[in-house]
Amino acid sequence: MPNTTVTLTGTGTPLPVPGRAGPGTLVRRGGWAAQVDAGRGTVLRLAELGLGCPDIDLLALTHHHSDHLVGAADLVLTRWVQGRFDPLPVLAPEGPTARFARRLLDGWAEDIDVRRRHTGRPAPQGPDVRAFAPPAAPAVIWRSADVEIAAVSVRHEPVEPAVAYRFDTPSGAVVVSGDTRVCAEVERLARGADVLVHEACRSAAVRERGKRFIADYHADTVELGAMAERAGIGTLVLTHLEPAPRTDEDTEAFAAEVRRGGYGGHLIVGEDLLTAPVGEPAAQRG
Ligand SMILES: [Zn+2]
Ligand SMILES: [Zn+2]
């Protein structure tokens, strides 16, 4: 197992699609694990990876759209039920996302109370919300001994704030876009990263289906290919796939559009549970 890996815990969108959990990305560095967003089914995907919720050391939230958050309470509550009692640190941009995180367990107070009295375990203290002002330019917002996390505001209007995260580790860097149009902010944050996990929208196909509003605030695949090439990305991983691929032809269409944009590096059209090394030779550009 390489030192740093990134795993897609969910490649879906708000619409339920068989085989695709809600949006989520897991970054692991040695025994340390950070979950970025926690959509529908996240804890099941973690279990399928052989992980319990107590194995998660940090949750980083990108924005307050429900598809990215509906699994967050499940993660925090199940971490407690599975026996980890220290609060889960939660990174969130100040505003609606941080407010959501602070209220995360409010609806579960009576469930927590009856479980606590029944089992004698301590009440959960979390989540430990570490809100930050959404930065206009990439800025470091969290540090440990060997992982540094930077964030930047992205372009998902009218949803504000929304952020992307970059994890710098001794073996390499991985960036997770969250939801955004293709933008200069992510391009700056991702410059030279080994792996970029980016949401992807086949705008032309979406518009043909009469869903222009979706294409308006998501990342066009052709523009994404151009941006990833300019940023010198080693491996580009597409997630939050819109429209969700149901056939091999659909999957190939995502790849073809990104290539049409000019991207020449290693390209992966994401599937749930896909794991990519960060900074290993297989993920290098070329
Ligand atoms: Zn979304
Ligand atoms: Zn969104």
Side-chain angles (χ1 to χ4, degrees):
M1 174 85 105
N3 282 330
T4 304
T5 61
V6 60
T7 301
L8 303 178
T9 58
T11 58
T13 64
L15 298 176
V17 173
R20 296 191 187 272
T25 305
L26 179 70
V27 177
R28 282 180 281 181
R29 162 76 188 164
W32 180 87
Q35 177 73 34
V36 182
D37 288 337
R40 174 189 299 127
T42 297
V43 305
L44 280 176
R45 288 295 188 236
L46 294 175
E48 287 160 0
L49 292 166
L51 297 174
C53 297
D55 295 316
I56 302 302
D57 299 293
L58 180 76
L59 174 63
L61 302 175
T62 62
H63 66 298
H64 59 288
H65 261 155
S66 60
D67 51 318
H68 297 252
L69 301 180
V70 290
D74 194 7
L75 174 61
V76 170
L77 284 169
T78 307
R79 190 170 177 270
W80 176 62
V81 167
Q82 289 184 315
R84 185 161 175 185
F85 302 130
D86 61 314
L88 177 64
V90 177
L91 301 179
E94 194 53 85
T97 314
R99 287 197 291 277
F100 171 87
R102 292 188 188 102
R103 296 192 297 248
L104 189 65
L105 298 187
D106 286 2
W108 301 100
E110 295 195 55
D111 166 62
I112 289 167
D113 189 49
V114 73
R115 284 183 198 278
R116 193 176 53 74
R117 283 187 283 111
H118 183 61
T119 61
R121 64 167 64 104
Q125 306 162 41
D128 173 13
V129 179
R130 316 272 182 97
F132 58 90
V140 174
I141 54 153
W142 190 91
R143 271 193 188 91
S144 70
D146 62 357
V147 180
E148 193 173 85
I149 303 175
V152 74
S153 294
V154 297
R155 308 300 300 270
H156 192 41
E157 297 97 333
V159 184
E160 293 178 285
V163 299
Y165 292 103
R166 174 176 177 130
F167 294 73
D168 275 289
T169 77
S171 64
V174 53
V175 171
V176 181
S177 71
D179 283 7
T180 180
R181 290 184 279 121
V182 173
C183 66
E185 289 84 350
V186 172
E187 185 173 339
R188 274 184 75 186
L189 184 72
R191 187 153 292 139
D194 299 276
V195 181
L196 170 59
V197 177
H198 206 293
E199 71 123 292
C201 175
R202 295 182 54 223
S203 303
V206 165
R207 289 198 169 101
E208 266 171 30
R209 295 170 194 203
K211 296 191 173 175
R212 164 175 282 278
F213 73 96
I214 292 177
D216 284 348
Y217 68 175
H218 287 297
D220 175 73
T221 37
V222 180
E223 291 178 25
L224 176 57
M227 184 271 269
E229 180 67 16
R230 287 194 303 270
I233 301 301
T235 296
L236 174 62
V237 180
L238 309 185
T239 189
H240 201 285
L241 301 168
E242 187 74 55
R246 293 173 185 269
T247 65
D248 289 347
E249 290 73 32
D250 292 343
T251 301
E252 285 159 16
F254 273 91
E257 291 178 12
V258 170
R259 293 298 188 202
R260 197 180 334 137
Y263 181 63
H266 183 212
L267 174 62
I268 298 171
V269 182
E271 300 281 345
D272 284 29
L273 300 178
L274 173 125
T275 295
V278 176
E280 294 292 304
Q284 297 297 321
R285 196 173 165 77

